[in-house]
Amino acid sequence: MPQHLKHFIEGAHTDSSDDGRLDLINPVDEQVYATVASGTAQDVDRAVSAAHAQLYGGAWSKLNGSHRAVLLNNLATLVERDLEILADMDARAIGRSRMEPRMMDVPNAVAHLRAAAGWANHLEGRTIPSSGYMGVRTLSYTVREPVGVVAAIVPWNAPLMITTWKLAALLAAGCTVVIKPSEETPQSALHLAALCQEAGFPDGVVNVVMGVGEVVGRALCEHPKVAKISFTGSPEAGAAIQRIAAPLFKRVTLELGGKSPQIVFDDARFDDAVRGCAMGLFINQGQVCAAGSRILVQKGIASKFSAALAQAAKSVSVGDPSQEGVQMGPVAKKAQYERVNRYIRQGIDEGAELLAGGVSDSAKGWFVRPTIFGKASNRMSIAREEIFGPVGTVIEFETEEEAIALANDSAYGLAATVWTSNLERAHKVAGAMRVGAVGVNCWSPLDANLPWGGLKTSGIGREGGLPGALAYTEEKVITVLLP
Ligand code: NAD
C-alpha cells in the first residue's frame, strides 16, 4: 500500500473534510508511491482560523523577536539533522538527482532560517522628525508589525527551498502561515511543518493544506483572514491570484517565471562560460525559474561556442537518477514532458538549427533529452516563452548595444548572466539589464542574504535578505503629543 499523507493543521495530521485524495507519481517509473489528502475550503478555513488565533492573542503573539530567533535557529538545526530525509523527499518527488537538493536546496534552506533568525530581532522602526501638532511638539516613531496570516503557495520545482524562503522570513516577522504545496511535491513541506512543532513553534503557527490550486489555493486567497499571499509559480496563476487579491486589498508577493539571458562576449573565459551556461540550462532538468535559457553569443565565437555547448548537452547522462553516474533524471510530470517536447518541435518548425537532443520518445518515465538550438532568433517562441526544461537557444549578436537590446527584449525580467573578462563591460552591461539579479561570470548565485525577485512578467516583490523579511511587516506610525 502506498503511504498516505495528511494535512498538518493546528499541530495535528488530519484528512480532508470530504476525504478527497491525490496520487503522487514517481516520474522515473510512473508508479504511484503515495496518496495525499486533497483539501477543501473547509480545511482551509480550519487552518487559517488556527493561524489567526495564534497571531491575535495566542501564545505566538506573546513571543518577541529574540524568542522567534531561538525557534528559527532550533528549526535550522533540525533541518540540518534531517538533510538526507528532506533531500530524498524532494529528489524522488521530481525525479532529480538527490545530490542537487543535498548540496544546494537543503543547505540553502538552512541558511535562510539562520539569516531570518538574525533579522527577527532587527526589524526596526524609525524615529521621524515631525512638524508638531497645532503648534505643540510631537514625537513620531514607527514600529514594524507582522502583516497577518500569510498564504504561502509553492511550486514543484524546488519545494523545500522555496517553502523555506517564505517560512523563514514570515516567522522572523512574527506572522503565521498556511502553506499550500504543489500537487506533486507536498512531502518536504509536511516534514518541515512537523519540524516546526519539534522546534517549539506553538501549534497553529505553521499549517499545511495540500490539494489542487484552483480549490485550496483559491480558497486561501479568498479567505478574509488571510492578509498576505506569497506566491511562487506560473505567471498565469500569479495573474489569477492578483485578480482575487485586488478587490480584497491583500498584500501580494509574486515570484514568477523567466526567460533569462546569458550573454557571452568574445573576451569571456571560454571554458568557464561553456560550463556555466550548461549548468544554467541543465540543472534540475532545466526546471528552474532562473534557467539561463537564452544564450546570446558574440558573432566571432558563436559557432565554436554553440558546438561546445552542444557537446556539453550530449555528454549529460540521462536516466534513473538513483543509479551511479546518472546526471539528469526525468522532468517532474507528464504535462511537463509534453510541454518540453512541444517546444522542441516548435523550435525545429520555426527554423532553428538543432545541434543536440531533440524530441523525446521515452517508453517509461518522463525523460527528455538535453537540447541545444543554434542560429535562433529572439522572435522565435523558443526564445520568448518559458519552456521549463533542458532546452537552450543560442542567438548571435555583434555589438554590446545589440546584446543589451536583445537581453532586454523579453516579457520577463528575472535574472541575467554576463560572461566577460572586461571589468568595465561587466559593470556597464549588468547595469543595463532590466532584471532583478545579474551574475557576472557566474550563473544565478543564490544567497540567503541577497534579495531575489523579478521585474515585468517575472513578478512583484523580493524574497531573501532584509527586504524579504520586511515584506511580511506593516510599518505603523505612532505620534505622541509633547505639550
Ligand atoms: P503553477 O502556477 O502551476 O503552480 C504553483 C502553485 O500555485 C501550486 O501550488 C498550484 O497548486 C498553485 N495554484 C495554481 N493555480 C492556482 C490558482 N488559480 N490560485 C491559487 N493557487 C494556484 O506553477 P508550477 O508549474 O508549479 O511552477 C512552475 C512555475 O513557477 C514556472 O513558471 C517557474 O518559473 C515558476 N517559479 C518561479 C520562481 C521564482 O523565484 N521566480 C521559483 C520557482 C518557480
Side-chain angles (χ1 to χ4, degrees):
M1 278 289 283
Q3 184 188 8
H4 178 62
L5 307 169
K6 299 178 181 179
H7 309 301
F8 191 77
I9 302 175
E10 210 172 359
H13 296 275
T14 59
D15 258 318
S16 299
S17 61
D18 66 355
D19 209 26
R21 292 178 181 210
L22 290 174
D23 290 338
L24 298 187
I25 301 175
N26 186 332
V28 173
D29 58 15
E30 300 179 42
Q31 299 298 308
V32 174
Y33 67 90
T35 60
V36 298
S38 182
T40 62
Q42 210 177 317
D43 301 319
V44 166
D45 184 55
R46 279 180 51 222
V48 173
S49 299
H52 196 266
Q54 275 297 346
L55 189 55
Y56 299 103
W60 176 249
S61 64
K62 316 247 173 355
L63 301 185
N64 59 34
S66 304
H67 293 130
R68 297 199 299 272
V70 171
L71 296 179
L72 279 160
N73 274 320
N74 289 350
L75 181 59
T77 304
L78 294 173
V79 171
E80 242 165 1
R81 181 196 71 190
D82 287 0
L83 180 142
E84 304 292 346
I85 296 170
L86 289 159
D88 276 349
M89 285 175 172
D90 273 10
R92 180 169 65 170
I94 61 168
R96 184 179 191 192
S97 151
R98 69 188 296 283
M99 204 257 295
E100 289 181 6
R102 216 178 159 276
M103 305 282 290
M104 289 180 297
D105 299 40
V106 185
N108 179 276
V110 172
H112 270 264
L113 289 166
R114 294 218 191 281
W119 291 123
N121 223 1
H122 292 94
L123 301 177
E124 294 154 354
R126 302 175 287 155
T127 309
I128 304 172
S130 45
S131 355
Y133 180 77
M134 295 190 184
V136 181
R137 271 194 324 135
T138 51
L139 168 68
S140 291
Y141 61 95
T142 71
V143 287
R144 289 275 175 185
E145 296 184 339
V147 66
V149 176
V150 177
I153 304 179
V154 180
W156 46 263
N157 65 321
L160 175 80
M161 192 172 85
I162 294 173
T163 304
T164 311
W165 287 6
K166 300 182 188 308
L167 190 67
L170 70 90
L171 291 174
C175 296
T176 57
V177 65
V178 180
I179 299 167
K180 192 330 231 156
S182 96
E183 287 83 334
E184 295 83 9
T185 59
Q187 219 170 349
S188 56
L190 278 177
H191 192 79
L192 192 60
L195 292 184
C196 288
Q197 192 176 46
E198 192 180 341
F201 287 91
D203 290 345
V205 171
V206 178
N207 307 274
V208 179
V209 179
M210 300 173 289
V212 177
E214 283 289 340
V215 179
V216 174
R218 170 176 278 275
L220 270 172
C221 296
E222 287 174 344
H223 200 292
K225 286 183 178 161
V226 166
K228 164 148 182 157
I229 304 158
S230 176
F231 172 80
T232 302
S234 62
E236 296 73 22
I241 285 169
Q242 283 221 87
R243 282 193 290 274
I244 298 172
L248 301 171
F249 304 102
K250 293 180 191 290
R251 278 65 180 138
V252 176
T253 297
L254 301 174
E255 298 284 358
L256 309 177
K259 192 74 198 175
S260 299
Q262 301 210 57
I263 308 177
V264 186
F265 287 100
D266 58 11
D267 57 22
R269 289 190 297 270
F270 190 87
D271 292 343
D272 288 355
V274 173
R275 248 193 317 274
C277 284
M279 177 173 155
L281 278 171
F282 300 138
I283 197 163
N284 201 12
Q285 291 88 280
Q287 302 166 133
V288 180
C289 55
S293 53
R294 276 192 305 146
I295 320 273
L296 311 178
V297 187
Q298 201 153 19
K299 201 174 177 103
I301 59 164
S303 298
K304 188 175 162 206
F305 193 87
S306 301
L309 200 56
Q311 191 47 46
K314 287 174 190 162
S315 70
V316 175
S317 61
V318 180
D320 178 347
S322 65
Q323 301 300 310
E324 189 77 19
V326 170
Q327 292 161 307
M328 186 188 281
V331 294
K333 50 185 182 174
K334 188 163 185 230
Q336 203 55 29
Y337 175 79
E338 286 164 357
R339 176 189 173 96
V340 175
N341 277 322
R342 192 171 64 246
Y343 273 110
I344 295 173
R345 250 177 243 114
Q346 239 165 283
I348 295 167
D349 291 348
E350 285 174 329
E353 187 181 4
L354 185 65
L355 298 174
V359 177
S360 299
D361 185 13
S362 172
K364 193 195 253 178
W366 301 311
F367 296 95
V368 299
R369 298 156 68 193
T371 295
I372 299 292
F373 283 107
K375 298 212 162 66
S377 112
N378 205 40
R379 309 309 314 161
M380 293 176 178
S381 61
I382 53 168
R384 303 204 76 72
E385 293 166 28
E386 185 182 45
I387 300 174
F388 224 53
V391 182
T393 302
V394 179
I395 299 163
E396 295 181 16
F397 68 87
E398 291 193 36
T399 63
E400 197 174 285
E401 291 66 34
E402 194 187 351
I404 292 169
L406 280 169
N408 286 336
D409 179 14
S410 172
Y412 293 101
L414 187 58
T417 314
V418 184
W419 297 97
T420 179
S421 48
N422 178 329
L423 190 62
E424 283 169 25
R425 168 177 272 170
H427 287 294
K428 194 172 150 202
V429 177
M433 293 294 98
R434 295 272 302 132
V435 298
V438 182
V440 176
N441 296 326
C442 57
W443 170 77
S444 199
L446 284 183
D447 188 307
N449 295 311
L450 300 176
W452 175 257
L455 278 55
K456 302 190 270 183
T457 309
S458 294
I460 297 173
R462 295 291 179 270
E463 293 190 302
L466 180 58
L470 291 179
Y472 291 101
T473 65
E474 297 280 8
E475 189 174 32
K476 178 193 277 179
V477 63
I478 297 172
T479 296
V480 184
L481 207 62
L482 300 175

